[in-house]
Amino acid sequence: MMQAIAVIAPNGKILGADEHFFQHFYHREVDRELLEKFIQEAENGRTVSYAIVKQKNGQNDVYVQATALYNKEGNLQAVVATYQYEPFIDMRLTSSIASLASEFTFILSAEGEITYVSPTAQYVLKCTEEVCSHELFSFVHHEDIPLLMEKLHTIYATKEKETTVDCRWRTNEGRFIWIHMHAHPLLNEQNEIEHVIVVAKDITKWKCCEEALAKLKHFDSLTDIPNRFYFESYVQHMIQQKRPFALCYIDFDKIKWINDRFSYQAGDFFLQEAVRRIQQHLQKEDFFSRIGGDEFVIVLHDVNKETIVTRMEHLLQSFVEPFRYKEHVIQSSLSVGVTFFPQDGMDLDTLLKQADQALCYAKERGKGYHFYHPQQNRKTMIEQELPLALLNNQFYLCYQPKVSLDNEAIMGVEALMRWTHPTLGAISPLEFIPIAEKNGFIFEITTWVLKEACQQVKQWQTHFPTLKLAVNLSPFLLNRKEFVTHVKNILQHTQFPPNYLILEITESGLMENIETGKHILTQLKQIGIQVAIDDFGTGFSSLAYIRNLPVSLLKIDRSFIRDITDNSKDATIVDTIIHLAKSLDLQVLAEGVERDDQVSLLQKMDCDFAQGFYFSQSLEAEKLLQWLEQHNQSKEALH
């Protein structure tokens, strides 16, 4: 049964009402004679009930029950009227009916005391009107009293038209309900507050839904601990406050095996039990979160390493005892990577990467936990950062000239890749190329080098038309049949002449991929590209074997050139390689030439080309161009 409440002045003017009154009763035709009698009897202190709105045009009668409100001088100020479509009956039944209503009303005096409590409110709060009148704040949760007092003070002090507040009220059953209170004052002719009408609504269910949604937003549904969203907000706040902390990245071993061996239900059970074991070792101020499927983090406010070592030892020890799922026994351990703010990183992304690197280091070495250290985690960091280096423009090229030993003319340049990392600094190709080959990223790197180098050397060929370009070719690409097509596309896009491109592959790498390698190198030769064997003499091939490959140039490894003038055996090996290569119509280049006496001996041995620090180290494009110009000027001056 729907009820509505209105406050009516002695002259019949509506002073205030709830939303139901304005929706359903405000525009109904009122029997004025009955209304006057109604107010008169209410003024005499009687609680009266009349059908003051008569049936008309099929509408139902409206029944109103009234209670008088007096000011401190004893004069009638208003009448509180409760409207409904059915006649009022026994108050015990009225209370039961009132319990179904979602809104109830309080009326406060000019002094802030409760002078009226609607039947619905009396029922919900299980109190009498007299008790409510004298103990307003005894029903309010202690945490909400300051806010409620502030709102009431504001409305009495400023005579604001209305104000709202949400607070918790205690019922006689001892539980708290949330109510939304909407208050507005009734002013007299002197613009003074006579009463304040408060219409309240029980919003407990709505608050429960709101809290449930907030929990879904901030907590993991399986483990009931904070989720990634909550974790990121928490850590960002810590960083903004510049409060030092340790970030511990946790990984449970065998979680995939548990899911595959038993079931995903077993995996969920394990995660729940693992979280409980960790929670037993947490302190009140620790923050524990699940940020992914099997990824967990603990934020520790104690950043003393010795203390953290002790805590990590206890944590690892708690996983010695196996987990029991139904009839199964599951043995699993955990690994932890630890990093510190602000010592190791100043932002969340960096800290997470560092903690993950420390975690990988701990797992690789069978250690339960490990503290992040830049150098120890260098390889892991390179593996993670390598795919992003191209996108972040961290790669660049240097070029080392190749010189003809016959007339010191420039034969060409070799493009050499370089990587400058923002935190690790310069990373040698000897470090990142093997990782790129292992992770399958060498294809993208090589095609990038080819494109960049072809564009650059094409520009130089305007002034140095016979300049050739050499690019290293990973043996892993000899298994990529599509590589030839990519090379063709790059040459076409850059308009670089194929006969000026040399692809260099190591002797050992070629021997490991001889069958597919021969096919791809033959295709490259058909395009017009030259193929060179790099580091010749360090592998297990022979010139007799190489004669059947589409090779036009041999590069003698620097290890034979280093002591060529002092070691007769090295000199003999180099001289033999040169003469046998000549017999097979192959050109020869010596690597690592650093001294004048090496140049003189290689000239006597009829070596074709040389490269090394004697001529120039590898240079960036701008400086290499200067070197080319200066070299040509010096050569012209000599002639």
Side-chain angles (χ1 to χ4, degrees):
M1 178 182 296
M2 184 190 65
Q3 290 185 337
I5 294 178
V7 180
I8 306 172
N11 61 3
K13 181 180 179 182
I14 302 298
L15 300 176
D18 63 10
E19 60 184 53
H20 287 161
F21 173 79
F22 290 107
Q23 289 176 2
H24 300 282
F25 302 106
Y26 181 65
H27 300 290
R28 301 297 294 273
E29 184 178 341
V30 176
D31 188 320
R32 292 295 173 181
E33 183 179 344
L34 282 176
L35 178 61
E36 291 177 4
K37 184 178 180 182
F38 177 86
I39 294 175
Q40 182 180 357
E41 295 197 11
E43 185 177 357
N44 294 329
R46 295 178 58 191
T47 299
V48 293
S49 175
Y50 288 109
I52 65 170
V53 183
K54 291 297 184 180
Q55 183 176 14
K56 185 177 181 180
N57 298 328
Q59 295 179 336
N60 294 331
D61 290 350
V62 176
Y63 294 86
V64 181
Q65 192 175 66
T67 301
L69 287 178
Y70 298 92
N71 60 17
K72 54 187 177 183
E73 286 79 22
N75 299 322
L76 178 69
Q77 292 293 304
V79 173
V80 180
T82 302
Y83 289 72
Q84 64 184 46
Y85 286 116
E86 299 293 336
F88 287 88
I89 51 179
D90 186 272
M91 283 302 296
R92 290 172 297 175
L93 295 177
T94 303
S95 295
S96 297
I97 294 169
S99 68
L100 302 176
S102 61
E103 290 190 355
F104 38 93
T105 304
F106 302 93
I107 297 181
L108 309 181
S109 68
E111 291 74 29
E113 293 184 353
I114 296 180
T115 59
Y116 172 79
V117 180
S118 69
T120 306
Q122 292 179 40
Y123 176 83
V124 171
L125 299 178
K126 297 292 190 298
C127 65
T128 63
E129 183 175 350
E130 290 75 17
V131 172
C132 285
S133 299
H134 299 289
E135 300 178 14
L136 169 63
F137 292 106
S138 66
F139 289 90
V140 182
H141 194 285
H142 69 277
E143 293 179 358
D144 300 335
I145 289 176
L147 177 61
L148 180 58
M149 292 183 68
E150 178 187 347
K151 291 286 187 177
L152 290 175
H153 174 76
T154 300
I155 203 168
Y156 275 99
T158 63
K159 301 182 180 64
E160 286 186 357
K161 290 185 178 179
E162 59 183 2
T163 188
T164 60
V165 62
D166 293 346
C167 58
R168 288 161 290 182
W169 283 61
R170 177 180 51 80
T171 69
N172 262 11
E173 298 170 349
R175 66 184 183 93
F176 282 93
I177 61 171
W178 277 98
I179 64 172
H180 173 76
M181 304 176 68
H182 182 275
H184 61 274
L186 297 178
L187 306 179
N188 59 22
E189 295 178 355
Q190 289 75 38
N191 199 37
E192 297 173 338
I193 292 179
E194 289 287 353
H195 297 282
V196 174
I197 300 176
V198 180
V199 178
K201 187 171 185 177
D202 186 347
I203 58 170
T204 305
K205 290 183 179 179
W206 182 83
K207 279 288 185 179
C208 289
C209 291
E210 187 180 59
E211 290 173 3
L213 289 173
K215 187 172 183 179
L216 285 174
K217 182 179 180 181
H218 292 94
F219 288 85
D220 174 56
S221 59
L222 177 66
T223 59
D224 206 33
I225 63 175
N227 59 17
R228 189 181 191 96
F229 178 83
Y230 194 173
F231 159 74
E232 290 179 351
S233 301
Y234 180 84
V235 173
Q236 294 290 11
H237 178 73
M238 293 281 290
I239 292 173
Q240 291 173 2
Q241 298 294 316
K242 297 181 179 180
R243 296 173 58 188
F245 61 86
L247 183 65
C248 306
Y249 207 149
I250 298 175
D251 177 75
F252 298 121
D253 302 325
K254 297 183 179 180
I255 182 64
K256 185 178 185 304
W257 178 84
I258 295 171
N259 287 333
D260 295 341
R261 174 66 176 81
F262 302 110
S263 65
Y264 282 99
Q265 289 78 12
D268 289 346
F269 168 81
F270 166 76
L271 289 178
Q272 290 172 327
E273 290 301 309
V275 165
R276 290 191 186 97
R277 288 195 186 183
I278 291 177
Q279 288 175 322
Q280 292 174 0
H281 294 272
L282 297 180
Q283 298 176 2
K284 183 178 180 181
E285 63 273 16
D286 297 337
F287 186 90
F288 184 30
S289 172
R290 183 187 187 189
I291 63 173
D294 60 347
E295 299 174 276
F296 293 79
V297 289
I298 303 176
V299 179
L300 304 177
H301 294 264
D302 189 342
V303 292
N304 182 286
K305 276 193 175 182
E306 293 181 358
T307 304
I308 292 179
V309 166
T310 302
R311 296 190 63 182
M312 290 299 106
E313 294 289 353
H314 289 160
L315 203 59
L316 295 173
Q317 191 64 31
S318 68
F319 276 71
V320 172
E321 182 182 349
F323 295 80
R324 301 184 184 277
Y325 175 70
K326 296 182 178 179
E327 70 277 11
H328 306 297
V329 176
I330 302 173
Q331 186 68 59
S332 178
S333 58
L334 77 165
S335 301
V336 187
V338 185
T339 189
F340 294 93
F341 171 82
Q343 300 96 307
D344 296 329
M346 297 297 293
D347 61 85
L348 177 56
D349 288 342
T350 300
L351 292 169
L352 281 173
K353 288 179 182 178
Q354 293 170 345
D356 185 40
Q357 291 162 21
L359 172 64
C360 292
Y361 191 89
K363 291 175 72 70
E364 287 175 1
R365 286 152 184 79
K367 299 176 64 176
Y369 62 91
H370 183 71
F371 293 99
Y372 170 78
H373 189 280
Q375 294 306 316
Q376 289 176 333
N377 296 279
R378 183 181 178 89
K379 181 181 177 183
T380 302
M381 194 168 184
I382 291 175
E383 289 179 342
Q384 294 178 341
E385 297 289 331
L386 186 60
L388 302 175
L390 272 178
L391 296 175
N392 295 331
N393 298 316
Q394 294 172 5
F395 288 136
Y396 66 98
L397 295 179
C398 286
Y399 301 87
Q400 188 172 37
K402 299 179 178 184
V403 178
S404 172
L405 292 175
D406 180 32
N407 56 11
E408 295 189 5
I410 305 300
M411 182 268 272
V413 294
E414 179 180 357
L416 300 168
M417 194 173 189
R418 298 290 182 262
W419 181 12
T420 300
H421 189 275
T423 56
L424 297 179
I427 305 175
S428 168
L430 296 176
E431 282 188 278
F432 69 81
I433 292 298
I435 294 175
E437 291 176 334
K438 177 183 176 183
N439 295 347
F441 196 60
I442 192 65
F443 188 93
E444 287 77 6
I445 287 180
T446 304
T447 53
W448 178 84
V449 172
L450 270 172
K451 184 178 179 181
E452 292 292 314
C454 285
Q455 289 176 336
Q456 181 61 77
V457 177
K458 178 68 177 177
Q459 294 179 13
W460 290 339
Q461 286 177 342
T462 305
H463 301 287
F464 307 96
T466 60
L467 195 66
K468 292 186 177 183
L469 167 65
V471 174
N472 290 299
L473 181 63
S474 167
F476 286 82
L477 297 178
L478 298 181
N479 295 315
R480 300 286 294 268
K481 296 180 180 179
E482 71 273 23
F483 178 69
V484 176
T485 302
H486 278 75
V487 173
K488 288 181 181 179
N489 293 336
I490 291 172
L491 292 175
Q492 183 178 1
H493 175 74
T494 60
Q495 295 295 301
F496 192 86
N499 56 316
Y500 282 88
L501 177 62
I502 304 172
L503 294 180
E504 300 181 355
I505 185 166
T506 61
E507 179 185 10
S508 58
L510 178 58
M511 291 301 103
E512 292 174 3
N513 301 270
I514 190 66
E515 294 303 324
T516 56
K518 182 179 179 180
H519 177 69
I520 288 181
L521 295 180
T522 300
Q523 287 183 298
L524 293 171
K525 183 179 180 180
Q526 290 172 349
I527 299 172
I529 297 170
Q530 290 182 270
V531 176
I533 301 298
D534 200 6
D535 301 337
F536 188 80
T538 60
F540 301 97
S541 64
S542 67
L543 286 171
Y545 203 92
I546 288 178
R547 70 180 179 177
N548 295 317
L549 295 173
V551 174
S552 59
L553 177 69
L554 296 182
K555 295 182 68 175
I556 302 176
D557 187 69
R558 67 183 63 245
S559 61
F560 296 105
I561 305 300
R562 183 174 56 246
D563 300 322
I564 190 174
T565 58
D566 302 319
N567 190 315
S568 59
K569 290 183 179 180
D570 285 348
T572 301
I573 291 173
V574 172
D575 188 51
T576 302
I577 292 174
I578 293 173
H579 284 87
L580 287 175
K582 295 287 184 178
S583 68
L584 296 174
D585 199 25
L586 300 176
Q587 292 182 308
V588 182
L589 182 146
E591 294 184 284
V593 177
E594 298 181 354
R595 303 191 307 273
D596 183 70
D597 58 345
Q598 293 172 334
V599 174
S600 299
L601 184 54
L602 289 168
Q603 287 173 332
K604 291 177 182 178
M605 292 179 177
D606 201 21
C607 184
D608 297 296
F609 311 106
Q611 72 180 98
F613 286 179
Y614 176 79
F615 304 102
S616 173
Q617 61 182 356
S618 59
L619 301 171
E620 292 186 49
E622 185 177 346
K623 292 184 178 180
L624 192 278
L625 178 59
Q626 295 175 2
W627 185 92
L628 291 173
E629 293 171 344
Q630 290 172 2
H631 182 83
N632 273 6
Q633 291 173 2
S634 299
K635 185 182 174 185
E636 291 172 0
L638 290 174
H639 293 81

